[in-house]
Amino acid sequence: MMSNIKQLQLELGTRSYPIFIGSNLLSQIDLLPQYIASQQVIVITNTTIAPLYLEKLKKILASYSLECVILPDGEQYKTLNYVEKIWTDLLDAKFNRKATLITLGGGVIGDMGGFAAACYQRGIPFIQIPTTLLAQVDSSVGGKTGVNHVLGKNMIGAFYQPKAVLIDISVLKTLNDRQLSAGIAEVIKYGLIRDPEFFEWIEKNIERLLAKDEEALSFAIERSCLNKAEIVAEDEHESGIRAILNLGHTFGHAIETGMGYGVYLHGEAVAIGTCLAADLSRRLGYLNDETVLRIITLFQRAKLPTLSPEKLATDRYLELMSVDKKNIDDDIRVIILKKIGKANLPIKVTTALLKETLNGYRGV
Ligand code: NAD
Ligand code: GLY
């Protein structure tokens, strides 16, 4: 193992797996093969990532019987139709249960590929190679896989853990600024929900992250993955503490679905959603004005939107939030911040209070 590669472990008993973080991992020929179960390997990627990184991966996989599925790029294609295309290609290639599926891409490819792997012949091994900051700090770790439905974001899916996660920081060089910021939204989330020191570190280092300083990115990715791995190890199937990873997501998913998938990036919707959750936490008496301002300011400095889309009416928000996975019966449940570095498990919030936030929040 090369010394510049960091390794974390997500502890889940017999399903534990390593998370490797380093530069140029896509050129390390000895890393990937140990997690591949047989000669049959299928890579899932998209039309943007394939021309950038597929050849590199193919070099490492030169000795395998390799299939590549190149999907169209975009959140709007994160549907069952395209997962079915993956299954058809697997069947066409006569791949069996020992075939290994590798996802090379952002959260959309990782979620779809993981779901395809979870269901194909009732489950085949898969490996995540996340290529966006968002996927490197969040979606590739923890085994949430799935697709969108017209009636709700990520509503169809499965918990299905990968065999390994390979995070190559070098691929972030080709990521555009908007996507980078979207990833930083999830990095900020870890500071807010359980890691106040990390929140302060982000405040001090946000410019370095935006400038893609490798050392800063490496630290932020490792600390984010560590936070996520600890939470998932404690509560893999989200019966408790894992729900705090959804800070801002109840509002955020409503924005993504309500505005049309792909209009707001996931991280952008989460940034706005977290500002709304902070406003709600203030109305509930947990946060003071100064803390809410500090949170909004950090998102703004990360070049993320912090205001709710004007087009999304309050009633539509409430309708969309009523299909959130955290809800129980007809109650809308939201993650609340008690302070920076401490999130509360989802609590039932009255419609009247939600309306106060949705109508009253105006940013800084
Ligand atoms: P994405 O997968 O759409 O990728 C963003 C864009 O960046 C795409 O156009 C992609 O082709 C491009 N891209 C990817 N890597 C690149 C690179 N290295 N260089 C240049 N361009 C590159 O979006 P995302 O933000 O990575 O992921 C969002 C998705 O992840 C959403 O569907 C969200 O629901 C899901 N998500 C899942 C989890 C989970 O736990 N499973 C957590 C958070 C988000
Ligand atoms: N991204 C939220 C989770 O993995 O639980």
Side-chain angles (χ1 to χ4, degrees):
M1 176 79 38
M2 296 198 36
S3 58
N4 65 347
I5 301 177
K6 295 175 187 163
Q7 182 177 342
L8 306 174
Q9 184 79 355
L10 205 162
E11 299 290 354
L12 285 171
T14 53
R15 290 172 297 107
S16 299
Y17 55 91
I19 302 160
F20 296 102
I21 305 166
S23 297
N24 297 313
L25 290 198
L26 274 177
S27 309
Q28 302 278 323
I29 44 170
D30 53 345
L31 201 53
L32 199 51
Q34 55 188 308
Y35 301 100
I36 295 178
S38 78
Q39 277 303 303
Q40 298 179 339
V41 177
I42 184 162
V43 175
I44 316 300
T45 188
N46 75 20
T47 48
T48 304
I49 301 150
L52 294 169
Y53 302 112
L54 188 54
E55 282 313 310
K56 270 194 174 185
L57 188 57
K58 276 183 171 175
K59 269 191 193 158
I60 298 180
L61 299 171
S63 63
Y64 294 90
S65 165
L66 187 66
E67 289 291 320
C68 296
V69 182
I70 301 175
L71 299 174
D73 182 5
E75 182 76 36
Q76 65 274 35
Y77 304 109
K78 188 177 159 183
T79 63
L80 209 49
N81 286 350
Y82 286 96
V83 173
E84 188 158 8
K85 176 173 169 32
I86 300 173
W87 291 326
T88 304
D89 287 7
L90 279 159
L91 286 166
D92 273 345
K94 301 202 177 345
F95 274 15
N96 57 39
R97 270 188 162 167
K98 284 264 181 270
T100 300
L101 185 150
I102 299 177
T103 59
L104 174 70
V108 168
I109 288 296
D111 281 13
M112 289 170 79
F115 186 53
C119 302
Y120 185 69
Q121 299 193 5
R122 302 201 178 86
I124 57 171
F126 93 109
I127 297 167
Q128 291 264 22
I129 306 185
T131 62
T132 59
L133 180 62
L134 185 137
Q136 295 186 345
V137 298
D138 193 353
S139 62
S140 64
V141 173
K144 276 192 183 174
T145 71
V147 293
N148 299 327
H149 188 281
V150 280
L151 296 180
K153 171 96 183 129
N154 291 337
M155 278 294 146
I156 314 297
F159 286 102
Y160 192 65
Q161 303 294 341
K163 295 289 175 205
V165 181
L166 262 67
I167 300 177
D168 184 343
I169 293 171
S170 315
V171 303
L172 298 179
K173 285 188 185 126
T174 53
L175 196 68
N176 69 34
D177 291 348
R178 189 177 167 202
Q179 296 290 353
L180 183 78
S181 289
I184 294 174
E186 300 280 18
V187 174
I188 294 172
K189 172 184 80 180
Y190 294 109
L192 284 172
I193 59 173
R194 76 195 290 268
D195 194 344
E197 274 176 25
F198 187 33
F199 187 86
E200 281 177 26
W201 181 91
I202 303 165
E203 287 184 311
K204 289 194 185 104
N205 290 278
I206 186 70
E207 275 76 28
R208 288 175 72 206
L209 291 175
L210 290 167
K212 295 186 183 169
D213 175 309
E214 272 220 5
E215 196 192 344
L217 281 172
S218 174
F219 177 80
I221 293 166
E222 186 185 5
R223 186 80 166 228
S224 299
C225 288
L226 192 64
N227 272 294
K228 180 137 189 195
E230 284 175 2
I231 293 175
V232 174
E234 197 178 325
D235 177 24
E236 182 183 7
H237 295 124
E238 202 171 303
S239 33
I241 193 69
R242 183 166 181 167
I244 66 171
L245 288 167
N246 292 310
L247 174 69
H249 286 55
T250 312
F251 295 106
H253 285 167
I255 294 170
E256 285 186 85
T257 310
M259 297 303 290
Y261 296 129
V263 175
Y264 279 79
L265 302 180
H266 177 72
E268 292 173 340
V270 166
I272 299 168
T274 303
C275 293
L276 287 163
D279 179 89
L280 190 61
S281 306
R282 182 179 62 79
R283 287 173 201 273
L284 283 162
Y286 292 122
L287 301 185
N288 58 27
D289 291 351
E290 195 189 327
T291 307
V292 176
L293 179 64
R294 193 174 155 198
I295 294 168
I296 298 172
T297 303
L298 185 54
F299 283 117
Q300 287 177 337
R301 289 178 63 210
K303 310 218 180 304
L304 284 156
T306 54
L307 288 176
S308 186
E310 274 179 22
K311 273 195 199 161
L312 202 57
T314 295
D315 284 350
R316 180 75 177 125
Y317 254 112
L318 293 174
E319 186 187 336
L320 290 161
M321 288 169 76
S322 71
V323 289
D324 190 84
K325 291 190 285 301
K326 290 183 295 304
N327 295 344
I328 297 176
D329 297 329
D330 289 336
D331 299 331
I332 294 180
R333 287 155 33 101
V334 182
I335 311 291
I336 295 298
L337 278 176
K338 289 203 149 169
K339 57 183 182 180
I340 286 177
K342 179 95 186 100
N344 208 54
L345 288 176
I347 59 166
K348 180 181 156 186
V349 183
T350 63
T351 307
L353 191 59
L354 282 172
K355 280 186 177 171
E356 272 187 37
T357 278
L358 290 167
N359 295 330
Y361 169 72
R362 297 270 180 280
V364 290

